[in-house]
Amino acid sequence: MTLATLGSAVPDFEIAATGEKTVKLSDYRGKKVVLYFYPKDSTPGCTQEGQGFRDNIEQFNQLNAVILGVSRDSVKMHEGFKCKQEFPFDLLSDQDESLCNLFDVIKMKNMYGKQVRGIERSTFLIDEDGVLVKEWRKVQVKTHIAEVLDYLQSAAE
């Protein structure tokens, strides 16, 4: 299995997305891609994280960055979550975990005292040429959006 690694081109993935679309990474050449992985639609932390990206979308747009959210939920679940939260970006459905595996975000986690396989909240920045330039793992929701924006702004200077 190939893993996306810092400083290397990310393989051109193709995946089902909201809006009855199929998204390919190559569709975004010339733009920065902020690819954020989250555990589950409509849960408190995932909702707060998505709202943070939503509420700062103009700043991301000004920095030539596209936001894409990824979880293992179905496109149908994503559509409801996106609509309810008024997300101005697409959510990608990775039910077969191919994208999760590419970025190595499936980890064993403790949930109510049990070990379960789940997505470790992580964000990846892919540059205009499709190269992975930054990753944030074990993301803390409260400070994360500011960290990503700070990085993008400093890289733009």
Side-chain angles (χ1 to χ4, degrees):
M1 174 183 72
T2 307
L3 286 179
T5 54
L6 279 171
S8 298
V10 176
D12 189 20
F13 57 81
E14 186 171 324
I15 188 166
T18 47
E20 299 180 11
K21 289 187 258 189
T22 299
V23 165
K24 289 175 67 175
L25 179 59
S26 57
D27 294 341
Y28 299 99
R29 285 289 190 267
K31 290 195 171 287
K32 296 174 187 81
V33 176
V34 176
L35 190 65
Y36 82 96
F37 289 82
Y38 63 95
K40 188 149 185 60
D41 288 350
S42 301
T43 56
C46 300
T47 300
Q48 185 180 355
E49 185 177 22
Q51 289 169 339
F53 282 116
R54 176 198 68 200
D55 295 347
N56 291 280
I57 195 70
E58 283 308 313
Q59 287 178 271
F60 285 103
N61 290 341
Q62 289 168 7
L63 293 163
N64 194 35
V66 173
I67 309 294
L68 296 172
V70 185
S71 82
R72 298 181 297 178
D73 294 308
S74 67
V75 170
K76 184 177 180 185
M77 282 185 65
H78 279 343
E79 291 289 2
F81 185 43
K82 179 181 174 175
C83 181
K84 183 176 181 183
Q85 297 302 326
E86 299 178 353
F87 292 155
F89 50 82
D90 285 314
L91 300 177
L92 312 182
S93 176
D94 192 25
Q95 291 186 288
D96 69 359
E97 299 181 357
S98 58
L99 208 52
C100 288
N101 289 327
L102 176 63
F103 287 91
D104 192 28
V105 298
I106 299 289
K107 305 291 179 187
M108 291 305 292
K109 299 163 41 168
N110 275 320
M111 181 92 57
Y112 307 112
K114 287 185 175 177
Q115 286 282 310
V116 295
R117 282 178 76 251
I119 293 179
E120 178 181 78
R121 195 179 305 281
S122 307
T123 299
F124 301 87
L125 178 62
I126 302 166
D127 75 6
E128 296 88 343
D129 298 316
V131 174
L132 180 60
V133 294
K134 179 75 175 153
E135 60 182 39
W136 293 267
R137 294 187 180 266
K138 297 183 181 175
V139 164
Q140 299 298 311
V141 172
K142 289 184 189 323
T143 57
H144 183 56
I145 307 308
E147 292 169 348
V148 176
L149 280 170
D150 287 348
Y151 182 85
L152 283 167
Q153 286 164 338
S154 67
E157 292 170 358

